[in-house]
Amino acid sequence: MIGQVTPAESRAKARILVVEDEAMIAFTLEELLMISGFDIAGVAGRLDTALEIIEEDVCDAAILDTNLAGVSSGPAALALTKRGIPFIVVSGYSAAQQHDVAFAGAPRLQKPCDIDHLISALRGVLPAYTELNSREPT
């Protein structure tokens, strides 16, 4: 059916939501993710946009900046957790500076982060894709 969202296990590429308020960082992440074999489910620079995309149930994982122009992305983290969607926190703030329990337990990378570490962390939270993409072609 046209427009039907397919389960993660039947797609070749994981769809990643990028939640980042700095446009250049968001654009760079988007490009690097696509080059690394991921699809982009959306890019959100504001909390309300992130929540709308999460509600559409079109992402398999997310990258979250914890602070979106002075607004915590904690509600987005909670919405992802409620849906069972893994996420990675990429922030300029250290874990000690962030006390929001919404981010607890998520892999965390400090900005600026190495793209290889980010891709590795994404693959780590997406085991179905790691297994699918590591299979030899038949």
Side-chain angles (χ1 to χ4, degrees), residues 86-127:
F87 61 91
I88 296 168
V89 175
V90 178
S91 178
Y93 295 99
S94 70
Q97 292 172 306
Q98 289 288 307
H99 302 292
D100 195 330
V101 296
F103 306 113
R108 175 181 284 277
L109 297 173
Q110 184 80 29
K111 286 182 186 174
C113 68
D114 180 85
I115 189 63
D116 292 332
H117 291 138
L118 178 63
I119 298 303
S120 177
L122 269 177
R123 290 190 175 131
V125 299
L126 290 164

Side-chain angles (χ1 to χ4, degrees), residues 18-130:
V18 176
V19 181
E20 170 60 60
D21 62 331
E22 294 186 39
M24 287 302 297
I25 293 173
F27 175 76
T28 301
L29 283 173
E30 184 178 12
E31 290 295 309
L32 291 171
L33 289 169
M34 289 189 299
I35 289 168
S36 298
F38 295 95
D39 280 338
I40 304 302
V43 177
R46 296 174 22 157
L47 179 60
D48 58 341
T49 305
L51 292 171
E52 288 172 11
I53 295 170
I54 294 165
E55 184 67 27
E56 292 171 3
D57 200 27
V58 296
C59 66
D60 301 306
I63 297 171
L64 295 181
D65 183 357
T66 57
N67 185 328
L68 303 173
V71 176
S72 173
S73 66
L78 292 173
L80 289 163
T81 299
K82 182 179 177 183
R83 290 181 174 277
I85 300 170
F87 61 91
I88 296 168
V89 175
V90 178
S91 178
Y93 295 99
S94 70
Q97 292 172 306
Q98 289 288 307
H99 302 292
D100 195 330
V101 296
F103 306 113
R108 175 181 284 277
L109 297 173
Q110 184 80 29
K111 286 182 186 174
C113 68
D114 180 85
I115 189 63
D116 292 332
H117 291 138
L118 178 63
I119 298 303
S120 177
L122 269 177
R123 290 190 175 131
V125 299
L126 290 164
Y129 285 97
T130 302

